[in-house]
Amino acid sequence: MSELFKGIALFTPGGDVVYCIDPSKQRRWHIDLCTRLQTLFELSAPPHFLVPCYTATIDRWFNPQTQQIECIAEAYPFVFHYHPFLNAIFNTPGQTWTQVHCSPHLCDPMAIATYYHQFPKLWDDRDWVVRIDAPQDNLSPPENSDRFLDEVQPEGYVFRLFVTGTYRHMEHLLRKVHDALEKTLSQPYTLKVIDILKHPDLAESDRVLATPTLLRVWPKPVRRVVGEIEVGEQLLSLLS
């Protein structure tokens, strides 16, 4: 194994794990790991709800200032007790792991439990430890992949609104965007709202760095509005 690498482990509620070791640090592994779980457990969809609450990450990098290899190892509360096991699979004996603190609404056990009826297999314990070295061509594409849209060729427009914040804030923003689209568009459209706190993998996939961000993902090319969204030149440029 290279001394410099990024590792990501994604656990299931039952204790199984898929993980990767990436020396290049270039891939969007959260999406790949969810997709692999979908394949392994024969699920109806990738279990994106596991991110970030069931994840652990480690990053070994070279600090040019100290001329030393440094390491950041973090795990969310649901999987922090696995840190001896994480040191074993990443070959980092004695590495100290930091527990990532998250807001209660992000990793609420009651909210996670609501997914049991859709993904009951994830609560089974098969003692699976699966390492992923490269994505497989036959894996199902993530829901927001460009290839998926190219194959389906949806009618009208497809938008994604990336948000974060309180429920009232999101409700006000959604109403404003909906009203703006209703006043401006004469064609059918689909608007999907994505909370980046719950789905950081989708934000990473669409290269969303700030909220709110409104993306027009169909028709191509992809266009975006970042920040305040108002009816005017900004929105018209997104639709033209």
Side-chain angles (χ1 to χ4, degrees):
M1 184 191 304
S2 171
E3 287 191 79
L4 307 179
F5 67 91
K6 182 175 183 179
I8 301 177
L10 178 62
F11 290 82
T12 69
D16 300 310
V17 61
V18 291
Y19 72 100
C20 67
I21 296 173
D22 183 8
S24 69
K25 305 184 182 183
Q26 297 297 316
R27 291 201 49 77
R28 300 170 186 167
W29 280 106
H30 285 102
I31 295 176
D32 292 331
L33 294 178
C34 287
T35 305
R36 180 57 62 91
L37 281 179
Q38 179 187 10
T39 302
L40 289 173
F41 287 84
E42 298 179 346
L43 306 176
S44 60
H48 294 307
F49 74 92
L50 296 177
V51 180
C53 306
Y54 285 88
T55 59
T57 61
I58 184 169
D59 190 358
R60 288 176 58 87
W61 55 287
F62 180 75
N63 188 332
Q65 295 182 343
T66 62
Q67 295 294 302
Q68 299 289 327
I69 294 177
E70 300 187 13
C71 185
I72 300 175
E74 299 178 326
Y76 276 81
F78 288 177
V79 299
F80 180 73
H81 62 283
Y82 288 115
H83 60 86
F85 170 75
L86 291 166
N87 280 336
I89 64 175
F90 292 125
N91 192 25
T92 53
Q95 174 64 47
T96 300
W97 288 74
T98 300
Q99 181 170 305
V100 180
H101 296 284
C102 56
S103 57
H105 79 276
L106 182 60
C107 293
D108 182 359
M110 296 298 293
I112 296 294
T114 62
Y115 290 94
Y116 176 82
H117 295 291
Q118 184 180 359
F119 302 104
K121 294 180 179 179
L122 294 179
W123 271 258
D124 296 337
D125 184 2
R126 294 175 169 83
D127 294 325
W128 282 358
V129 180
V130 180
R131 174 174 170 174
I132 303 175
D133 291 314
Q136 294 181 346
D137 292 336
N138 61 349
L139 292 182
S140 301
E143 183 181 357
N144 68 327
S145 69
D146 291 338
R147 185 175 67 181
F148 177 79
L149 290 173
D150 291 336
E151 292 175 355
V152 175
Q153 296 281 319
E155 180 183 0
Y157 288 84
V158 177
F159 299 96
R160 297 190 191 113
L161 176 62
F162 289 86
V163 298
T164 184
T166 63
Y167 174 77
R168 288 185 178 180
H169 173 73
M170 288 190 289
E171 184 181 33
H172 172 74
L173 178 62
L174 178 58
R175 186 183 303 113
K176 183 169 65 171
V177 172
H178 176 266
D179 291 343
L181 293 176
E182 286 290 321
K183 293 177 181 178
T184 309
L185 283 179
S186 59
Q187 301 181 40
Y189 69 89
T190 299
L191 174 64
K192 181 174 182 178
V193 181
I194 301 171
D195 187 343
I196 67 170
L197 295 179
K198 296 180 180 179
H199 301 287
D201 55 315
L202 300 182
E204 180 183 7
S205 177
D206 278 325
R207 299 179 178 86
V208 173
L209 302 177
T211 58
T213 293
L214 178 63
L215 261 65
R216 186 197 76 184
V217 296
W218 189 264
K220 299 290 184 68
V222 175
R223 293 183 177 176
R224 68 186 62 212
V225 172
V226 181
E228 290 298 323
I229 301 169
E230 304 289 350
V231 178
E233 293 184 3
Q234 198 178 38
L235 187 58
L236 290 176
S237 66
L238 191 71
L239 303 176
S240 62

